[in-house]
């Protein structure tokens, strides 16, 4: 029921206890105020806040401290507000849930030639690509309707903004540059009374967020999930909690892998300059300047599709390097089978935030890109840190993982991730090429060397199912006699020689036999994967050409996972060169020779070696 209070003393006492609204009253007067309702630690739908026809919707421009479009004026961000009418009629102040995005005003079409051509030799430049233009869309004052139906009825104000150089926001898109952190910081500063807001993009009439409590939370998915983290790494005061969903936390990790030029899943040939073109929906008169300074200078000089090495350009777009100022409570969400923004993006930030002592939780599901936590989990997080209700969420289990056959809104709680009982189990290779070799606990010597021949024509899935082929090496564990729980980050060490100065290296951990049924689940076949450039065997920042015939040790992590492999399956280590779905496509024929005695896999298994022994006896 709605709580209507008509005695100022009772109102003041109640508000002091629950900390929901900073109300002002005059002694002896009668006040009426509609308040959020909290039950079981969650904000409930308030009937008086539910009528969308009565919501107040307006837009404005917040002034930043930067000028990235070169017009000599500080860039202003376009901001839209959706709030209950009681914020005017009752002088009600409420916390804010804020979503910012480069996508709200439309994106460029995917055209042939707008992505990089991946069919060329490693270390060689690709042919030039075309640059599609965005046709801007959108109307004032509504930037987006996302999230409003969920949160406004529950006693929150919802704010949207367009990223720099997109929509009606001024400036230039930088795809991870500093202004993408400072822009949402400016909006939060305005929500907290520290920055200037204006009614028009170049006007002087001021507007204030008098309805804001100064407590802000952020959320969003993919790029929209990256930007809450970007804002949080500024340490901006007032940003209390963020819920990034499948966020890109490092553009190097998104477009490169251990020195290798690697595309995000589903977007072969995409790179950071392609994404720049895709989102550049801002003022048409500013686009030529932005293209020249950002895309055709900073990105062209820094992105380095030739070597794939980590450099200052990429370091500046890696939020793990910027965590020190962060104060916001963090609930991360990701899919273990997200091969677009891969699951290590969330884990690396979650781990760093935990080490800083921040309140953290992580929610992983077994599906692909996107997938927010259950509403109840998000509600408890925002109710605790925005409404200030002591609901004990910080004492909830730290990790929530959706098991393989469970619906996404029914995760299993765990005290932490990886599972506290998981231990790295080393597995070694026995020969078998061009058919199948073994994967065993016992390290043998004298297994010799085996070769594979690169050919991008064959996908990883085809290679995993092949009984006999020269284009991959495959090593299988004994058949599992009981379920085996993997939790954490597998690591592979491959000692190899290449017939050419450069080669792709792709490694998949698979579950066989391969399920070819139309009803196969995403978890049935691929457990996890990883890619590396052997030229970066000793340094991520300074790869060197391989000397043909010389063996090099290449060690790298595969993607994080938490999966229960059912009995009857076999673990399979699949080693091949070019990955048709992710890497460049050099001319087939490069030979990789693997030294089996000096190659091994480490798998984090709940219960460690004993569990593996029991499952394979």
């Amino acid at each position: 029921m709605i709580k209507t209070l008509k005695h100022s003393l009772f109102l003041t006492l109640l508000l002091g206890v629950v900390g929901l609204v900073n109300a002002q009253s005059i002694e002896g007067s009668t006040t009426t105020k509609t308040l959020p309702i909290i039950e079981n630690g969650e904000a409930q739908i308030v009937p008086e806040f539910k009528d969308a026809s009565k919501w107040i919707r307006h837009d404005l421009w917040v002034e930043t401290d930067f000028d990235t479009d070169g017009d000599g004026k500080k860039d202003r961000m376009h901001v839209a507000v959706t709030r209950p009418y009681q914020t005017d009629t009752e002088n009600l102040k409420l916390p804010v849930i804020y979503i910012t995005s480069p996508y709200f005003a439309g994106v460029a079409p995917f055209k042939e030639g707008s992505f990089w051509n991946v069919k060329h030799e490693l270390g060689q430049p690709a042919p030039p690509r075309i640059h599609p233009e965005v046709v801007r869309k959108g109307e004032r004052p509504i930037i987006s309707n996302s999230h409003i139906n969920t949160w406004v009825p529950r006693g929150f104000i919802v704010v949207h903004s367009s990223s720099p150089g997109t929509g009606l926001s001024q400036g230039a898109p930088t795809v991870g540059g500093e202004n993408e952190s400072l822009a949402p910081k400016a909006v939060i500063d305005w929500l907290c009374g520290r920055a200037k807001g204006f009614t028009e993009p170049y006007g002087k009439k001021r507007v204030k967020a008098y309805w804001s409590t100064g407590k802000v939370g952020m959320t969003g998915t993919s790029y929209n999930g990256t930007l809450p983290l970007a804002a949080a790494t500024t340490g901006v005061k007032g940003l209390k909690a963020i819920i990034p969903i499948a966020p890109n936390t490092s553009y190097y990790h998104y477009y490169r892998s251990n020195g290798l030029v690697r595309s995000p899943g589903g977007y072969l040939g995409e790179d950071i300059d392609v994404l720049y073109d895709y989102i550049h929906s801002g003022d048409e008169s500013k686009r030529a300047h932005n293209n020249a300074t950002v895309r055709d200078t900073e990105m062209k000089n820094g992105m380095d599709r030739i070597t794939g090495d980590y450099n200052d350009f990429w370091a500046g777009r890696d939020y793990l390097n910027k965590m020190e100022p962060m104060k916001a409570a963090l609930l991360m969400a990701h899919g273990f089978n997200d091969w677009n923004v891969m699951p290590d993006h969330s884990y690396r930030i979650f781990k760093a935030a935990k080490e800083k002592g921040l309140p953290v939780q992580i929610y992983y599901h077994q599906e692909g890109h996107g997938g927010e936590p259950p509403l109840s989990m998000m509600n408890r997080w925002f109710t605790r840190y925005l409404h200030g209700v002591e609901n004990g969420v910080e004492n909830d289990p730290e990790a929530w993982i959706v098991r393989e056959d469970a619906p996404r809104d029914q995760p299993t709680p765990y005290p932490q991730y990886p599972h506290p009982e998981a231990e790295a189990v080393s597995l070694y290779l026995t020969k078998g090429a061009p058919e199948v070799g073994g994967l065993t606990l016992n390290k043998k010597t004298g297994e010799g060397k085996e070769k594979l021949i690169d050919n991008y024509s064959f996908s990883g899935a085809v290679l995993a199912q092949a009984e006999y082929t020269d284009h991959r090496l495959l090593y299988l564990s004994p058949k599992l006699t009981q379920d085996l729980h993997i939790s954490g980050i597998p690591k592979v060490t491959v000692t190899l020689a290449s017939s050419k100065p450069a080669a792709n290296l792709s490694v998949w951990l698979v579950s066989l036999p391969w399920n070819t049924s139309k009803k196969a689940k995403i978890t049935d076949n691929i457990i996890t994967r990883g890619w590396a450039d052997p030229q970066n065997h000793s340094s991520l920042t300074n790869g060197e050409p391989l000397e043909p015939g010389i063996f090099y040790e290449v060690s790298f992590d595969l993607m994080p996972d938490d999966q229960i492999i059912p009995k009857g399956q076999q673990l399979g280590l699949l080693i091949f060169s070019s990955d048709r779905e992710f890497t460049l496509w050099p001319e087939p024929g490069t030979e990789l020779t693997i030294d089996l005695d000096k190659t091994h896999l480490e798998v984090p298994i709940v219960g460690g070696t004993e569990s593996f022994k029991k499952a394979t006896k």
Side-chain angles (χ1 to χ4, degrees), residues 429 447-452 473 475 493-497 505 551 575 592-599:
L429 282 53
E447 291 299 306
K449 301 174 178 63
E450 295 189 326
K451 291 184 178 181
L452 64 91
L473 299 174
Y475 305 92
T493 297
V494 180
T495 300
L496 59 80
L505 176 60
F551 280 85
I575 302 174
L592 293 184
T593 303
I594 310 300
D595 186 336
L596 301 191
D597 293 343
K598 297 180 180 179
T599 297

Side-chain angles (χ1 to χ4, degrees), residues 89-125:
T89 60
E90 300 176 16
N91 295 319
L92 182 64
K93 291 187 176 183
L94 293 172
V96 172
I97 292 177
Y98 169 34
I99 304 96
T100 185
S101 174
Y103 297 138
F104 289 144
V107 294
F110 288 126
K111 293 183 177 180
E112 184 176 354
S114 60
F115 282 43
W116 287 101
N117 186 339
V118 300
K119 192 175 181 180
H120 62 85
E121 293 305 303
L122 305 182
Q124 298 299 315

